[in-house]
Amino acid sequence: MNLKELLFGGGVHSGDSGGAYRDSIQAWLPIKNIIGGVVITKDNRFVKILEVLPVNIYLKSTNDRQNIISSFAAYLKIAPDDLQMVVRTLPADTQAYVEQMHRYAEHEENEACREMIEDNIQEIGLGIASNAMRHRFFLVFQYEAGMRAKRNTVQAIVQRLNEEADTARRYLDVCELEVLEPRYCDNFILKLLYEILSKKTSQRVRLPDGVFDMTTAVHGIYEE
């Protein structure tokens, strides 16, 4: 199951804003909102998404491998019951790489090094990297009754999910797995969901800056 199916099921399409509130995030994505890095779905689920940078365990010593495996097993024992591990496989962004290499070449003073960079750029242009792939790894879990938020409010549930995320970071740090902590987590999740739901469009059309200002109030959810 991919991240899109996990959050929305199989029938959601970009631009499906039926029932959306004007001037809200619902006009752009089929969710109610994003608060504190937590996605609030239209069926009132609270979902946390963490991006994890992998470690090449085969480059580790035997003892380090065992420690990583043991630490990860320890985390799974206390992880949320519905924890999902999701991988997004994408074509490598060769255009961005080529642009970066051109910048390196412009500032490289050694002629031999400049020639090596230009050769590398030419090889990519010949299609050598056309089949290259990149991967993004995510942990996804949602609020469940056993988490026992202190109050049955949006903010309390968001706080409880972020506590679970902090626990994951501590355990995975021991496994030498870095859990990304974007400075603006709501914007990070918003951009990620847009890329998932509008896979082709997002490659050429950026979200308007104003959309990132809409992740403030929750529409359609009432606190008890």
Side-chain angles (χ1 to χ4, degrees), residues 156-208:
I157 293 173
V158 168
Q159 180 180 348
R160 186 67 188 85
L161 281 173
N162 282 322
E163 290 171 355
E164 288 288 339
D166 289 339
T167 299
R169 287 189 182 93
R170 288 195 299 272
Y171 274 84
L172 296 181
D173 183 61
V174 178
C175 301
E176 300 184 38
L177 293 168
E178 180 183 357
V179 179
L180 297 184
E181 296 185 75
R183 182 177 181 185
Y184 301 106
C185 55
D186 290 357
N187 291 356
F188 169 78
I189 296 297
L190 174 58
K191 186 171 181 290
L192 172 65
L193 296 185
Y194 175 62
E195 291 173 353
I196 292 172
L197 295 176
S198 306
K199 188 174 182 180
K200 293 183 178 179
T201 303
S202 64
Q203 295 176 7
R204 63 180 188 277
V205 180
R206 290 182 54 188
L207 277 171

Side-chain angles (χ1 to χ4, degrees), residues 80-82 141-150 160-161 164:
D81 293 338
D82 64 349
F141 54 88
Q142 61 183 326
Y143 180 76
E144 51 198 42
M147 291 181 181
R148 300 181 182 274
K150 292 182 180 179
R160 186 67 188 85
L161 281 173
E164 288 288 339

Side-chain angles (χ1 to χ4, degrees), residues 52-144:
V52 181
L53 299 183
V55 61
N56 190 338
I57 196 171
Y58 296 106
L59 299 179
K60 302 295 180 180
S61 68
T62 301
N63 287 339
D64 286 344
R65 291 184 194 180
Q66 187 58 50
N67 289 336
I68 290 173
I69 293 171
S70 298
S71 298
F72 191 70
Y75 169 64
L76 292 179
K77 290 179 180 179
I78 54 92
D81 293 338
D82 64 349
L83 178 70
Q84 303 255 6
M85 301 176 191
V86 180
V87 180
R88 288 196 71 208
T89 301
L90 305 166
D93 190 352
T94 55
Q95 180 177 353
Y97 176 76
V98 167
E99 291 174 356
Q100 183 182 50
M101 296 302 288
H102 276 304
R103 288 194 294 270
Y104 287 156
E106 290 174 0
H107 295 90
E108 178 55 61
E109 297 179 357
N110 186 293
E111 183 176 353
C113 290
R114 282 200 306 273
E115 290 178 357
M116 290 177 63
I117 293 173
E118 293 298 338
D119 287 345
N120 183 263
I121 293 173
Q122 185 177 5
E123 288 178 354
I124 293 174
L126 293 174
I128 290 178
S130 61
N131 295 322
M133 306 298 291
R134 61 190 175 98
H135 306 283
R136 296 178 70 181
F137 301 85
F138 301 92
L139 294 183
V140 185
F141 54 88
Q142 61 183 326
Y143 180 76
E144 51 198 42

Side-chain angles (χ1 to χ4, degrees), residues 13-25:
H13 300 281
S14 176
D16 177 14
S17 56
Y21 288 76
R22 182 181 177 183
D23 298 327
S24 82
I25 198 174

